[in-house]
Amino acid sequence: MKDIFYYFERDMLRWVRGRVSVISALVMPAAWLIFVGLALPTTFTENYIDFITPGILVLTMLGASLQGGSLLIFDKILGFLNKFLALPSSRESILFGKILFITARGLLQATVILLLALVLGASFLSPWSLVLTYAILALFGVLLSAFSTTIALYLSDHDAYAAFNAMVSMPLFFTSSALMPYSVMPAWLSALAYWNPVSYAIDAIRALQEGVLAWSRIGALLFLATVVVGISVRQFRKVTL
Amino acid sequence: MIPIETHGLTKYYGSLCAVDHIDLEVGNEIFGLLGPNGSGKTTTVLMLTTLLRPTEGSALVCGHDVGREAQEVRRLISYVPQDMAVDIKLTGRENVALFAKLYGISRRDETIDRVLGMMDLSERADDLVRTYSGGMRRRLELAQALVHEPKVLFLDEPTIGLDVAARKKIWEHIGTLKSRGMTIFVTTHYMDEADHSCDRVAILDHGRVAAVDSPSHLKGLLGKDLISARISGEYCRDLPEGVTMMGGKENGEVVFSSEHASERVPELFRRLEEQGAVVHSLSVREPTLDDVFLALVGSREDGSAFDDHKFRTMLRRRG
Ligand SMILES: Nc1ncnc2c1ncn2[C@@H]1O[C@H](COP(=O)(O)OP(=O)(O)O)[C@@H](O)[C@H]1O
Ligand SMILES: [Mg+2]
């Protein structure tokens, strides 16, 4: 168990010491919120900031998690993974260390967005819904960072990983409920969006604005996360090069 | 307890046979696995360190099977891979601390100080590794590998990419570790380094073990002296009786073997010139491990197949 924290600590130290990457990680999501939240014309809602913030939060976790997979790619290319795999420490702690770091970093970015959204006039946050928002974002982060880290285990280089990232992140984002409500989507898109895991998280956070706990969406997210983490642990335990 | 033994250890990558039925028994010594790039050294080490599953055969480390008892094996060994993998944004001490924590070392700080001291890194321990030289980074990796006092240490090309002084230092440290009772399994393609530092070596060619013995014994098989030449033009059709051409090296040197080598030099010179070759130099020197490799495997650059017939006939003549 402690090993998870040691791996987390290593990634965190490395990240914090690369100051530029810290600044960019915190500025980028803010830029998204400002440009998407303020620049897009809105016809379907009064308070677009309230509407768009959950989408941007989940988008940020999505981007952070998928980008996080490249951490393992680098560990692999540079030979760190070989050294870690030859240790008697359990191999899934490598995976959980990555999940912990990637999710924590994503939540930090999400915090920047939440603060900025408040400044820009978002009005949806009661204390308990804030806690639940973080919980949903964390669950979503665990799901996607487990997925991306395990995919990274099987890709041989950074280009392959970048291609995977592009292939997955764009469609997931644009077929989600991030940018518009189901009511204004064409029928084919709303069907697609409904089954998209990105929408599970967005819908669950939006429901919180109405004071509703969307159990079916949270349940779906929880189920998917359990399955993906389970598969990932198995892959990490048995991996050979 | 035998530190390492392999029985018909084999690895196929698809149809490519990277390691071909290797049988080795390594005692408490510095054991060198030698061979050019692509000969299967890394693949062998990966199997012995439980990171790669053998296609066929088996390997035991301190009596534990690398497949079935991988966890036991990992507790007893340390592995330093070929690529220099240290975190440059962390200090030397932090790099070692990570491994001390992951190995669950008790009295951690003491241990970290001790291994850093052993590798002469105490003074720079709190500097970022970014500022370390290649040799220091390699020593830092050795320090990481020593935190749990492994029984067997696997080093894959520990001196690759280092300057001469740094290489010498690494080998000195390896010698010290051996004197403290550790078994060291080291791969390299620098024959001269293995020659000076290994107790025994295995010469690997296209995944097969071409010879296993102490460097001095292997060199002894080539006789007391060899003739080393620099020649241009046509030659070697008609050599003096008892003189055999062993082959050419990448640096342009051509090596001949013969008994009483120095007495054969004038005749060899005459023959070569008669055939129209231009002889720039001819000298007699003691065999090196590189010559053993040349005799066993043929020219390193052409990568020609293992020609043991040539070697056998040469050895037979030596009786
Ligand atoms: N993952 C791999 N997939 C396919 N072929 C490989 C792989 N790793 C190594 N090889 C091949 O196996 C052979 C032995 O490689 P390796 O063990 O790395 O040699 P060395 O360490 O002696 O340079 C080479 O021909 C190499 O191309
Ligand atoms: Mg190699």
Side-chain angles (χ1 to χ4, degrees), chain A residues 138-195:
Chain A
L139 188 58
F140 182 74
V142 168
L143 163 66
L144 271 137
S145 54
F147 175 61
S148 66
T149 300
T150 306
I151 294 289
L153 199 54
Y154 293 96
L155 296 182
S156 52
D157 59 54
H158 201 253
D159 289 341
Y161 189 78
F164 156 79
N165 191 347
M167 203 170 68
V168 171
S169 60
M170 282 297 154
L172 270 182
F173 179 63
F174 284 108
T175 65
S176 75
S177 57
L179 295 175
M180 52 187 122
Y182 292 102
S183 55
V184 304
M185 288 181 195
W188 64 269
L189 184 58
S190 76
L192 216 56
Y194 187 78
W195 291 106

Side-chain angles (χ1 to χ4, degrees), chain B residues 37 41-42 82 156-157 187:
Chain B
N37 287 326
K41 304 183 295 296
T42 298
Q82 188 172 331
D156 197 358
E157 310 246 15
T187 79

Side-chain angles (χ1 to χ4, degrees), chain A residues 3 6-7 9-10 13-14 17-18 78-80 82-89 91 238 240-241, chain B residues 46 51-53 71 74-75 79 81 83 85-87 89-90 94 98-99 101-103 108 141 144:
Chain A
D3 294 351
Y6 299 143
Y7 284 120
E9 188 186 28
R10 161 179 180 253
L13 271 177
R14 295 196 313 166
R17 288 190 187 159
L78 298 178
F80 289 100
N82 270 7
K83 283 168 84 168
F84 295 151
L85 289 176
L87 294 176
S89 135
R91 290 166 162 209
K238 71 172 197 197
T240 53
L241 305 161
Chain B
L46 288 176
L51 297 179
L52 197 61
R53 209 154 290 146
Q71 198 63 15
R74 287 178 204 143
R75 252 189 272 282
Y79 166 47
D83 359 57
V86 282
D87 282 310
K89 287 178 186 168
L90 270 49
E94 286 166 340
L98 174 67
F99 277 70
K101 290 169 183 173
L102 291 170
Y103 274 115
R108 199 189 294 151
E141 286 204 286
Q144 288 179 316

Side-chain angles (χ1 to χ4, degrees), chain B:
Chain B
M1 186 68 67
I2 301 165
I4 305 169
E5 47 185 318
T6 72
H7 304 284
L9 191 66
T10 302
K11 179 69 192 180
Y12 278 90
Y13 290 114
S15 62
L16 173 84
C17 189
V19 172
D20 192 358
H21 296 89
I22 288 187
D23 297 294
L24 288 178
E25 195 173 305
V26 178
N28 187 211
E29 59 188 333
I30 302 179
F31 188 89
L33 190 61
L34 311 188
N37 287 326
S39 55
K41 304 183 295 296
T42 298
T43 306
T44 305
V45 170
L46 288 176
M47 288 192 284
L48 293 177
T49 53
T50 76
L51 297 179
L52 197 61
R53 209 154 290 146
T55 316
E56 257 178 62
S58 65
L60 303 179
V61 174
C62 299
H64 298 285
D65 186 279
V66 294
R68 279 178 282 109
E69 299 165 281
Q71 198 63 15
E72 289 305 310
V73 173
R74 287 178 204 143
R75 252 189 272 282
L76 295 167
I77 63 163
S78 267
Y79 166 47
V80 179
Q82 188 172 331
D83 359 57
M84 217 158 323
V86 282
D87 282 310
I88 58 169
K89 287 178 186 168
L90 270 49
T91 65
R93 187 182 302 280
E94 286 166 340
N95 269 283
V96 177
L98 174 67
F99 277 70
K101 290 169 183 173
L102 291 170
Y103 274 115
I105 304 298
S106 53
R107 299 208 291 187
R108 199 189 294 151
D109 292 336
E110 226 170 278
T111 305
I112 294 170
D113 284 334
R114 183 171 53 79
V115 293
L116 284 167
M118 272 172 74
M119 288 297 135
D120 298 332
L121 289 169
S122 299
E123 277 172 31
R124 300 287 306 277
D126 295 304
D127 295 349
L128 290 184
V129 173
R130 184 192 300 288
T131 64
Y132 283 24
S133 69
M136 292 172 70
R137 290 179 192 195
R138 201 42 122 185
R139 280 185 278 134
L140 183 61
E141 286 204 286
L142 286 176
Q144 288 179 316
L146 296 178
V147 289
H148 70 131
E149 299 181 5
K151 292 267 179 295
V152 185
L153 178 59
F154 290 91
L155 305 173
D156 197 358
E157 310 246 15
T159 56
I160 198 165
L162 301 183
D163 62 47
V164 179
R167 286 184 195 178
K168 193 156 163 273
K169 200 157 182 186
I170 295 284
W171 283 110
E172 282 168 15
H173 283 299
I174 292 174
T176 311
L177 293 176
K178 191 231 158 178
S179 69
R180 298 166 68 114
M182 211 174 281
T183 297
I184 293 138
F185 187 96
V186 54
T187 79
T188 182
H189 66 272
Y190 300 120
M191 301 287 165
D192 52 330
E193 295 185 359
D195 200 341
H196 295 130
S197 310
C198 294
D199 298 316
R200 286 196 311 145
V201 298
I203 291 181
L204 206 57
D205 172 47
H206 292 87
R208 287 194 289 164
V209 174
V212 191
D213 218 321
S214 66
S216 58
H217 193 249
L218 285 173
K219 288 185 293 187
L221 295 175
L222 295 181
K224 220 162 102 320
D225 295 306
L226 294 172
I227 305 170
S228 155
R230 286 183 189 281
I231 313 169
S232 50
E234 288 277 309
Y235 60 95
C236 102
R237 294 223 195 82
D238 180 25
L239 294 172
E241 185 66 31
V243 176
T244 323
M245 190 176 107
M246 280 169 50
K249 295 193 186 168
E250 357 185 1
N251 60 11
E253 182 191 15
V254 182
V255 185
F256 299 90
S257 78
S258 167
E259 272 177 84
H260 311 295
S262 54
E263 292 155 33
R264 313 303 297 271
V265 168
E267 194 186 349
L268 177 63
F269 175 73
R270 217 174 310 122
R271 287 286 181 96
L272 290 168
E273 294 262 296
E274 273 167 21
Q275 291 171 52
V278 181
V279 179
H280 304 290
S281 73
L282 273 182
S283 58
V284 172
R285 60 169 176 76
E286 289 182 5
T288 64
L289 215 44
D290 212 34
D291 299 317
V292 175
F293 186 84
L294 188 70
L296 281 168
V297 176
S299 159
R300 277 170 89 164
E301 66 200 312
D302 66 15
S304 62
F306 176 53
D307 181 5
D308 63 352
H309 179 70
K310 196 163 90 187
F311 189 62
R312 295 270 147 71
T313 45
M314 199 151 61
L315 295 188
R316 239 193 328 272
R317 249 206 332 273
R318 309 237 148 255

